[in-house]
Amino acid sequence: MNKKSLFWLFALVLVLSAFLAACGDDDASSESGSEGEGAEGAAEGEPQKGGTLVYGLDAPPEGLYSSAFYGIATDFEVIELFDEALINYNENLEPEPNVASWETEDNKVFNFTFEEGVKWHNGEELTVNDWVFALETIADPDYDGPRYANVQTIEGAEAYRSGDADSISGIEVVSDYEINITFDEARVNNLTNLWAYPLPESVLGDVPVAEMSASEWVRSTPIGIGPFKVDKIVPGESVEFSKFDEYWNGDVNLDKIVLRVIDNSSVVGALQNNDIDMISLQPVSGPEVEPLENVEIRTYPGLTYYYVGFKLGKFDNESQTITEELPKYQSKELRQAMMYALNRQEWVDAFFFGYADVVNKPVPSAHWNSADDGELIQYEYDPEKSKQMLDEAGYVDTNDDGFREDPNGDEFVVKFSHYATGNPTFESRAQAIAQYFEAVGLRSEVEMVEVNLYYDMVEKDDASIETFFGGWGTGTDPDPSGLWKADQLWNYPRYNNPEADQLLDDALDIEIVGTDQEKRKELYVEWQKIVNEELPMLYIAELEEIKALNTRVGGVEYDVSGQNSPAEWFVTE
């Protein structure tokens, strides 16, 4: 039971920094001896049985407690306490069997075998039919979640989604515990891209797909196959879990876990007073938590980056296409000038407290396909160059008010949106970005939007969102297609570049790259060079993950793949 589960979207998960408890929203450095890949929790010795662990969240979940429907990382933090994926990932981000093992000879047809006797929390046995149910739900035309990218490459998924077929032809059920899945073509990452969470058909089978995300089985009484089951949910406040006695994968140490939502301003006090045992820490809290004798801060390599995005178009999720181009930020020269205007190092130092590094591409450095900075434009802070580029692009002050008009002589205002939570630094850092733009003559306005509303507005291309702050956590296979290709919902800037899309396709094509990781990297580097030059978003920083653990907590392990199973956690008193 030493497997690590990783954030999945392919896995790719939205990380609005307030939500990514593992990354906080900033960055923090740890004291000597308080970090270490694979290191165990603060308590030492043999695991103890029993007791209750209090798990903290510093922002309320949205309340979509289903692997198929969640969109923010706080919801995932709840889910991973009671559910598990069929496949796990090790510290090298390599897939390992969990409930399912697999074989393939050609990376197109995969045979999966399930463990027998795995029980859902309602007592029903997990079978491959629950996985088929999940895959068909995600491919259903009425599905309103963000996971279709993890299903669409199965042979027949497109026909099923369009209503031209009653089933997905690439799915063949052999028995309750064996299934064959055929993809539309051989790709290097077919396995790591495949959605690997089943759904309980026994409780959701009669719920119309269009109504699932609002159903009680997602919002208030979710079930999974993990070591703890959900007993009670108080929306926005708490979730209570108890040990699942029929857990399939060995002993469970704790009797209970109580998850509590803590206002960000109260986190340090809650840790100091032993009110919570573990929490993903915001970097702003790091300096206050470090001196606490009853708390250990631990960091581990992150797979998260933050950015300022531009809305370049609008997306139709039904047709999976960008249907409209928005003109305001189409100028590459404008976007580059705005990048040179940002003193990113100063900003990172001020708001991430040493737990982040400036980044120039949307692939975290911890991934094998990350381009070397020497291959990319660095965009060192240079306000004079920014001003010159704006002048040359036609953004000049025509009325002597101190701010630039657009090339047509019309007023130009950078409308910058940022999500609002209890974190007191968010508005300050948003204003700091706006001030960098104003320093080169670009009038700027900041709008702080309640975080759950913000996520919905960005995804639906609300007209009030023009530039926006966001973050992404990448998954096991670092292929960025699900966040960047023109046919993907989570391509929030609505970036549309066929050449860039083709590079991403080629990097997965067995006929082109075989299984040669270096050939894949060459193509990914070429792609990074394009998006580094074109800047559909301004890349800001990549983060470490930060956790705070009470010294009574043991058995917790972290590495780049995330945390180990909560079945292994324990408390000493």
Side-chain angles (χ1 to χ4, degrees), residues 303-380:
L303 297 173
T304 303
Y305 64 90
Y306 289 115
Y307 64 88
V308 173
F310 299 98
K311 277 296 181 182
L312 304 176
K314 293 188 175 183
F315 186 78
D316 178 67
N317 196 31
E318 183 174 348
S319 63
Q320 301 277 288
T321 58
I322 296 172
T323 57
E324 181 181 347
E325 185 178 275
L326 300 176
K328 186 169 181 176
Y329 291 99
Q330 290 297 325
S331 168
K332 178 179 71 174
E333 292 72 24
L334 169 63
R335 300 193 300 269
Q336 289 178 331
M338 293 174 70
M339 185 66 133
Y340 281 113
L342 292 177
N343 191 336
R344 293 178 292 160
Q345 189 62 61
E346 178 183 70
W347 188 91
V348 166
D349 290 342
F351 296 105
F352 286 79
F353 298 86
Y355 294 101
D357 294 307
V358 170
V359 68
N360 290 299
K361 74 278 189 180
V363 177
S365 300
H367 272 312
W368 56 263
N369 67 342
S370 177
D372 292 332
D373 274 351
E375 301 176 275
L376 306 172
I377 303 171
Q378 296 300 295
Y379 296 104
E380 298 285 352

Side-chain angles (χ1 to χ4, degrees), residues 381-394:
Y381 175 55
D382 192 338
E384 294 307 313
K385 183 171 185 175
S386 175
K387 292 175 185 178
Q388 179 183 348
M389 293 184 71
L390 290 168
D391 288 342
E392 293 172 353

Side-chain angles (χ1 to χ4, degrees), residues 387 390 402-405 412 436-443:
K387 292 175 185 178
L390 290 168
F403 293 105
R404 299 172 184 271
E405 279 66 52
F412 186 85
Y436 289 133
F437 295 149
E438 292 213 335
V440 296
L442 296 174
R443 188 190 302 274

